[in-house]
Amino acid sequence: MLNRRSFVALGGMGLLAACASPNPEPEASMAMPAPPPPPLPAFYDAVTDEPFPIPAIEPGTLDPRLWRQEVDNPWPNSSYGTIIIDPDAALLYFSEKDGRATRYGVAVGADGFSWTGTARLQFRREWPRWNVPAETIKRKPELERYSVANGGMAPGPENPMGSRALYLFENGVDTLYRIHGGADAPHLGKAVSSGCIRMLDQDVIHLYKVAVHGCDVVVLPSLTGPKTNALY
């Protein structure tokens, strides 16, 4: 039998039930885990047939946008072998046939934003020495021991030029602008060096093999201006 006290108590329980959510939200600890990063293409595995070891790219460290890939050439009328660098997008295009291009992600530097124009691929080097320019030594005197006069830095894993270098000349004069390896995957898409264009060693080896001696190398003007978080 209901009396006044039990009626009031039951009424309060009804109000509590009415305020409760019928489908309570899961706690944060029950949230779904983030999906794993997409698997990297096999060409980013470790390279073991070079004079120095080239480690595999770690999964999740390289934005898929910056993976080496074949795409429609944004400049379809460019001659086969022409290299076009877009420093703002941090992308390098190697012009193929039939309006296609191989696209690579790159890291850029202050010179990558300030130098523009068309150069000529004068020569290439495997595991090049790093001859530190005088301008760099002014900023970092501790690099004097790697100057041209001192013979530069020997090839190897510590050399920031990496496994390959492409040297660019303009009207027969060295621009001091290089396309070279030695980039770390997390640095692609960023301004991280004193200049030049840095690539993953796996990618610069590929570009080195297909590059055409004497080809045009076009560096587009930057719309964002020079900026760098220089590693060297």
Side-chain angles (χ1 to χ4, degrees):
M1 178 177 182
L2 293 174
N3 55 31
R4 180 179 179 82
R5 180 175 297 174
S6 61
F7 178 81
V8 171
L10 289 173
M13 291 174 64
L15 289 174
L16 289 174
C19 292
S21 172
N23 297 303
E25 294 294 328
E27 296 181 5
S29 61
M30 299 175 61
M32 295 294 291
L40 285 163
F43 50 71
Y44 287 132
D45 289 346
V47 181
T48 59
D49 58 354
E50 289 284 326
F52 303 96
I54 297 174
I57 305 302
E58 292 291 331
T61 62
L62 183 58
D63 186 338
R65 181 183 76 87
L66 301 173
W67 292 359
R68 184 200 319 165
Q69 54 195 286
E70 187 173 309
V71 298
D72 288 331
N73 193 342
W75 304 274
N77 294 324
S78 57
S79 301
Y80 173 81
T82 300
I83 294 172
I84 302 173
I85 299 166
D86 182 348
D88 287 344
L91 295 172
L92 181 152
Y93 295 82
F94 176 83
S95 298
E96 306 278 3
K97 298 177 180 178
D98 301 322
R100 302 288 285 172
T102 300
R103 192 180 77 186
Y104 309 81
V106 298
V108 299
D111 289 349
F113 286 90
S114 60
W115 190 90
T116 63
T118 301
R120 180 179 187 271
L121 175 56
Q122 188 79 3
F123 57 90
R124 300 168 286 173
R125 291 287 183 269
E126 297 186 17
W127 293 99
R129 298 186 73 86
W130 183 34
N131 296 308
V132 181
E135 295 80 2
T136 302
I137 294 173
K138 287 180 182 178
R139 294 194 306 272
K140 296 189 174 184
E142 66 273 16
L143 296 177
E144 170 67 30
R145 58 180 174 159
Y146 302 125
S147 67
V148 175
N150 290 325
M153 180 187 286
E158 302 304 318
N159 187 319
M161 296 289 283
S163 60
R164 302 288 190 274
L166 285 67
Y167 296 77
L168 310 184
F169 282 60
E170 185 179 25
N171 299 322
V173 178
D174 189 354
T175 65
L176 301 180
Y177 195 86
R178 312 283 186 252
I179 301 170
H180 62 86
D184 293 323
H187 295 149
L188 259 63
K190 301 175 183 178
V192 295
S193 73
S194 297
C196 303
I197 296 296
R198 302 184 81 187
M199 303 177 70
L200 298 174
D201 280 313
Q202 287 90 336
D203 283 345
V204 78
I205 290 172
H206 184 269
L207 178 63
Y208 178 93
K209 291 178 179 177
V210 299
V212 178
H213 177 74
C215 74
D216 284 343
V217 180
V218 181
V219 182
L220 301 177
S222 169
L223 301 179
T224 62
K227 56 184 178 180
T228 183
N229 299 311
L231 296 178
Y232 71 90

